[in-house]
Amino acid sequence: MRSALSSRDAVVATVATFVVNGVGVGTVGALMPTLADRWNTDARGLGVLLMAFGLAAIGGINIGGRMADHGGALRPLRLGTVVMAAGMLLIAASPNLAVAVAVAAVYGLGNGLVDTTMNVMAVQVEQVRPRPLMSRFHACWSIGSLLGALIVLVCGSLFSGAVTISVAAFVIAAVLIATDLPVLHRFAADTAPIDHTDESGGRTKVPRVAWILAAMAVGFGLAEGTAFDWSSVHVRDVAEVSSTTAAWGLAAFSVCMVGVRMSGDYLVHTFGRRLVVRIGAGVAATGYLVAMLGPTMPVLLLGWALVGGGMALVAPQIYGLAGMLGGGRAMSRVVTCGYATTLVGPGIMGLLVHEFGIQHAMLLPLAGAVMVSALSLVMPTEESRGTWSRTLEG
């Protein structure tokens, strides 16, 4: 018999899914410098690969949101898990960058499916539990991304050669992602479908306030996505260290993100969503400024740590509000803007890095963090539920 959304089993399944999805994204991000060495490419080549991930993710995000609203999140979540793991193995087996870009759509599609549906599940689990959980769910995702970075560091210490290191890391990550399937089968609770029709049978519109959250998602997508995919490259190029040692940049970002997210539900309850997002995005902008000016490894790691701590609570608040107030359809709009920017934005970063250098290119994610902080002044809160509901009703 399927677990109830309010059960501890449902929480366990949601936690596991956030962890393994983070492992996949963290592994890919930490491997960027190694993949550049493996395929003898530069920032433009990495940018094309990341843009391919992002474009495919857009499709997965929107498909996942619609499937979750129509028949529950569990089926598209399982599908996305399989596709994501398969995509990582295909990239691992790619003999060159051109093939990797061609098969990147598999990984991107799976990641997009998982990202939307796990957040839909997290919102509905949180709503029926006695205490807030969204920040801690995202903390588990950050733990997973940290594990992904550590996988790359361990593979770099055990093996030699970019091909062997990247293949080993991809295979380990894919196996860990696949282990979520039996967990979902045993523990997960399916979400309730959400109807988006009015009394006359017509389809209701997505409320306008959703686009405020979507714009904020673009901002944090630039700031957070750059950290995942370019922090390691940035540390390698500026501090002039090895590709595997450079993964400490992503590790510093992830450790601080985990630490802040573990206390995030308390901070939101004490200070409110708007203030937490405003201050956090401001801290992240400061971190990018430090990273831009820092010439040494310790200063660079400090900058990326500030970015991780500052951005830690932004995504949970924006995604949580979208799902709480508008269901999977509204969340898919917001996640599309955020997640696609998280992947496509770093692809654009590759072009900027090639043209202007990696230090100057960091102005783009810094501007994204500033935009989030400014938009927090008008972001909706739980009190918007009545207005949002009336909009949904026509």
Side-chain angles (χ1 to χ4, degrees), residues 135-171:
S135 292
R136 275 170 281 185
F137 284 146
H138 281 259
C140 293
W141 188 92
S142 298
I143 291 172
S145 69
L146 176 60
L147 288 175
L150 293 177
I151 287 171
V152 176
L153 288 170
V154 170
C155 289
S157 66
L158 294 177
F159 306 108
S160 60
V163 174
T164 305
I165 292 170
S166 59
V167 169
F170 273 131
V171 169

Side-chain angles (χ1 to χ4, degrees), residues 4-318:
L5 280 168
S6 59
S7 68
R8 187 178 297 273
D9 285 353
V11 175
V12 169
T14 307
V15 164
T17 302
F18 271 79
V19 170
V20 297
N21 183 259
V23 167
V25 176
T27 301
V28 171
L31 277 175
M32 283 294 110
T34 305
L35 294 178
D37 294 340
R38 172 179 173 177
W39 293 320
N40 192 27
T41 188
D42 57 11
R44 285 182 299 179
L46 294 180
V48 171
L49 180 65
L50 292 169
M51 289 183 74
F53 289 154
L55 292 173
I58 293 173
I61 288 164
N62 285 278
I63 292 170
R66 293 175 185 274
M67 291 179 69
D69 277 355
H70 183 263
L74 189 55
R75 185 162 61 95
L77 182 55
R78 286 171 169 166
L79 175 63
T81 301
V82 173
V83 174
M84 185 177 176
M88 298 193 79
L89 294 177
L90 288 173
I91 297 170
S94 298
N96 53 54
L97 179 63
V99 175
V101 170
V103 301
V106 179
Y107 169 79
L109 178 66
N111 204 358
L113 282 167
V114 173
D115 195 88
T116 301
T117 51
M118 74 181 185
N119 276 286
V120 170
M121 182 174 289
V123 168
Q124 293 201 19
V125 168
E126 182 185 53
Q127 286 178 322
V128 295
R129 294 287 296 183
R131 296 180 180 178
L133 291 171
M134 201 67 180
S135 292
R136 275 170 281 185
F137 284 146
H138 281 259
C140 293
W141 188 92
S142 298
I143 291 172
S145 69
L146 176 60
L147 288 175
L150 293 177
I151 287 171
V152 176
L153 288 170
V154 170
C155 289
S157 66
L158 294 177
F159 306 108
S160 60
V163 174
T164 305
I165 292 170
S166 59
V167 169
F170 273 131
V171 169
I172 292 170
V175 170
L176 289 175
I177 291 170
T179 61
D180 193 40
L181 289 171
V183 175
L184 291 172
H185 178 74
R186 169 65 178 83
F187 297 106
D190 207 355
T191 59
I194 298 176
D195 185 20
H196 294 290
T197 57
D198 55 27
E199 294 179 356
S200 64
R203 188 169 179 80
T204 57
K205 296 180 180 180
V206 176
R208 293 178 182 177
V209 72
W211 299 110
I212 296 175
L213 296 176
M216 296 179 75
V218 170
F220 85 67
L222 287 172
E224 192 170 312
T226 298
F228 279 112
D229 293 319
W230 287 101
S231 57
S232 298
V233 178
H234 178 259
V235 171
R236 181 195 65 177
D237 291 353
V238 176
E240 298 181 346
V241 296
S242 69
S243 295
T244 50
T245 301
W248 283 110
L250 179 58
F253 169 85
S254 299
V255 165
C256 288
M257 181 168 275
V258 170
V260 174
R261 281 181 169 175
M262 290 303 291
S263 59
D265 295 317
Y266 169 78
L267 293 174
V268 170
H269 177 75
T270 303
F271 300 106
R273 294 182 189 271
R274 286 179 176 172
L275 186 58
V276 164
V277 170
R278 189 176 312 139
I279 294 176
V283 170
T286 302
Y288 271 111
L289 186 61
V290 171
M292 287 175 59
L293 301 176
T296 63
M297 183 84 166
V299 177
L300 295 175
L301 295 184
L302 172 62
W304 288 115
L306 289 172
V307 173
M311 296 307 299
L313 301 182
V314 176
Q317 308 319 310
I318 293 175

